[in-house]
Amino acid sequence: MNTINLLKIAYKALLRNKMRALLTMLGIIIGISSVISMVSLGQSSSESINNQISTMGTNLIMVMRASQRQGGVNLGSTNVQSLKASDVDAILKDARYISMASPVVNASGQLIYGSNNWPSSVQGGNEDLLEIRKYEIANGTNFTSEDVKMYAKVCVIGQTIVENLFPNGEDPLGKDIRFDKIPFKVIGVLKSKGQNQMGQDQDDVVIVPYTTVQKRILAINYLHMIMASAASEEVADQALVEIEDILHKAHKLKADDQNDFQVRSQQEMLEMMNSVTGFLTVLLAAIASISLIVGGIGIMNIMYVTVTERTKEIGLRMSIGAKNKDILMQFLYESIILSLIGGIIGILLGLLISKLASGALNWPFVVSLPAIGLSFAVCAATGIFFGWYPAKKAASLDPINALRYE
């Protein structure tokens, strides 16, 4: 019996029990849709992370204060004063792979304008900080190197600050806002960047000269961080090593001394985040694939019932010349058709779920073609694996006993 005839027979047999066939496919549908949606959402999450890090600058390198340790106990980095403005000068002077660098000093407090106030933080940097962090000016201008030298009380603010301190649509340019008791003149407004992958509002920012934060707000002479930009993404690793060497010498550390600073690149953060999301995606997909096993067991169970119900039909086919191979392939085709139809529906449902979830989470929608191809292969394998034994049982029936079966 040729393949086309076997497919027709299997198809007609399934149509006779539509509800049973649908319920049998349900496990496969749930399993495949779960796997497809989990893989797609995992890739969407990774893509979203990549996009968010790109908005901060893929060339970004951060130098942070190292944590204090005493008796094996980590005391944190709050009181560490290892970074100085002279370190920035050394990096800009000696680093070949660095295009820009900026001191960074942060202070938290209350912003006030008229009767409006907003809890936020002020970030101090030099005139290159906006470009390093990929911020763009929407209105007004950035502060200058002269403002940095003069501890100028000027600021550039984000859209969240504008919305909360100037809710009536008033133009903030030229206005004085107070950070605690210190007035700052607004000279620029930043374009909106939205939230980053961690849910942090990138528009809730006030950027001022770092010297102003040091001298007028915190009364310190050290830095909280240094942000630098590699000349290109390709040389980011060399730039990171270069900064370590420069600061190790600038801090007069011996060759075997532990660094009193930490250097991190955006690429490291990206790789770490992708590693975590990749592991979670595989874990969730593995958990979701358990329902595929349940679906396969359902197919095996239904095929056993089908063989029992159609024992007399099997005997009739054998009596008019059907070979054991034909009976085997007939029931095996039924199992494969059930699995493949369930797989197609599951793939479409999984893509729909991932599309809706990506939209709700504001992630890019990513279709994983390898996952779809693998799903088809798994569906076929499931149909063969779980349908083989019932089909083999049907093919091994004795024709005489089958004809006598009631």
Side-chain angles (χ1 to χ4, degrees):
M1 191 178 295
N2 61 41
T3 301
I4 295 177
N5 286 334
L6 286 172
L7 287 173
K8 287 181 179 178
I9 293 170
Y11 179 68
K12 289 178 181 178
L14 292 175
L15 284 181
R16 286 198 297 266
N17 294 284
K18 298 183 183 68
M19 184 56 67
R20 177 192 292 178
L22 179 61
L23 293 175
T24 304
M25 291 187 293
L26 193 58
I28 299 295
I29 293 171
I30 294 173
I32 292 294
S33 63
S34 300
V35 171
I36 290 292
S37 59
M38 288 299 101
V39 172
S40 180
L41 286 174
Q43 293 186 342
S44 296
S45 175
S46 295
E47 186 70 21
S48 179
I49 291 172
N50 291 341
N51 293 340
Q52 291 289 347
I53 288 180
S54 295
T55 62
M56 295 178 65
T58 53
N59 305 342
L60 180 64
I61 296 175
M62 293 168 288
V63 183
M64 297 166 286
R65 299 173 292 174
S67 299
Q68 283 183 321
R69 302 186 69 87
Q70 183 175 338
V73 179
N74 191 331
L75 301 179
S77 61
T78 305
N79 296 319
V80 177
Q81 303 179 14
S82 58
L83 298 179
K84 307 286 185 178
S86 58
D87 294 330
V88 179
D89 296 334
I91 291 171
L92 291 174
K93 177 183 176 183
D94 300 329
R96 295 176 299 164
Y97 300 111
I98 295 295
S99 60
M100 293 176 289
S102 172
V104 176
V105 188
N106 299 305
S108 299
Q110 198 80 4
L111 291 169
I112 302 170
Y113 176 75
S115 60
N116 300 311
N117 62 85
W118 180 250
S120 187
S121 62
V122 166
Q123 184 170 79
N126 65 16
E127 65 277 10
D128 292 328
L129 182 59
L130 293 186
E131 188 171 352
I132 292 173
R133 292 198 58 189
K134 302 300 181 184
Y135 278 114
E136 296 181 27
I137 296 287
N139 297 303
T141 185
N142 189 17
F143 53 82
T144 65
S145 58
E146 191 63 26
D147 292 325
V148 175
K149 293 177 182 178
M150 300 299 295
Y151 321 139
K153 293 182 284 186
V154 293
C155 67
V156 178
I157 62 177
Q159 292 294 333
T160 298
I161 307 300
V162 174
E163 293 169 3
N164 287 277
L165 295 187
F166 304 92
N168 299 322
E170 186 178 355
D171 186 1
L173 291 179
K175 303 297 190 301
D176 286 336
I177 62 175
R178 283 186 293 127
F179 181 76
D180 291 336
K181 296 181 180 180
I182 302 173
F184 285 88
K185 183 178 181 180
V186 179
I187 61 172
V189 177
L190 300 172
K191 290 183 179 179
S192 177
K193 291 183 70 173
Q195 290 187 342
N196 62 18
Q197 184 61 30
M198 303 301 180
Q200 181 181 4
D201 185 2
Q202 298 181 93
D203 298 324
D204 188 5
V205 61
V206 178
I207 299 178
V208 306
Y210 79 94
T211 51
T212 307
V213 180
Q214 281 184 319
K215 305 299 181 181
R216 299 184 184 277
I217 298 177
L218 297 178
I220 60 175
N221 62 357
Y222 60 91
L223 307 177
H224 293 148
M225 184 188 298
I226 297 172
M227 287 190 178
S229 180
S232 68
E233 188 175 347
E234 290 72 23
V235 299
D237 291 337
Q238 293 97 309
L240 189 146
V241 174
E242 193 175 45
I243 288 177
E244 284 190 1
D245 292 340
I246 291 171
L247 294 185
H248 194 88
K249 294 176 182 177
H251 292 189
K252 299 179 180 179
L253 300 173
K254 297 179 181 178
D256 55 349
D257 285 346
Q258 185 177 1
N259 288 337
D260 55 0
F261 58 89
Q262 305 175 56
V263 186
R264 296 287 183 268
S265 69
Q266 287 290 72
Q267 195 63 33
E268 285 182 329
M269 293 177 60
L270 179 61
E271 291 173 359
M272 181 185 68
M273 294 297 293
N274 283 341
S275 176
V276 172
T277 56
F279 173 76
L280 291 176
T281 299
V282 171
L283 179 62
L284 293 173
I287 295 173
S289 64
I290 293 175
S291 57
L292 276 176
I293 300 175
V294 176
I297 294 172
I299 288 177
M300 180 182 286
N301 183 46
I302 292 300
M303 294 310 296
Y304 265 120
V305 174
T306 301
V307 169
T308 303
E309 288 181 346
R310 295 163 61 186
T311 300
K312 197 164 187 177
E313 175 191 330
I314 295 170
L316 285 171
R317 290 186 183 280
M318 288 182 169
S319 66
I320 59 176
K323 299 177 182 180
N324 286 0
K325 179 183 176 182
D326 296 327
I327 300 299
L328 173 67
M329 295 307 295
Q330 175 189 337
F331 284 92
L332 193 57
Y333 279 11
E334 288 186 25
S335 174
I336 294 173
I337 289 173
L338 276 173
S339 185
L340 286 179
I341 293 176
I344 293 171
I345 296 173
I347 288 171
L348 296 176
L349 181 60
L351 291 175
L352 176 62
I353 292 172
S354 59
K355 174 69 174 176
L356 295 175
S358 298
L361 295 170
N362 199 26
W363 289 351
F365 175 56
V366 178
V367 177
S368 175
L369 295 179
I372 293 176
L374 181 61
S375 297
F376 272 114
V378 168
C379 289
T382 301
I384 294 171
F385 181 80
F386 289 101
W388 176 265
Y389 191 75
K392 185 69 175 176
K393 179 185 177 184
S396 62
L397 288 175
D398 182 83
I400 296 176
N401 291 333
L403 287 169
R404 290 176 177 173
Y405 183 81
E406 294 293 339

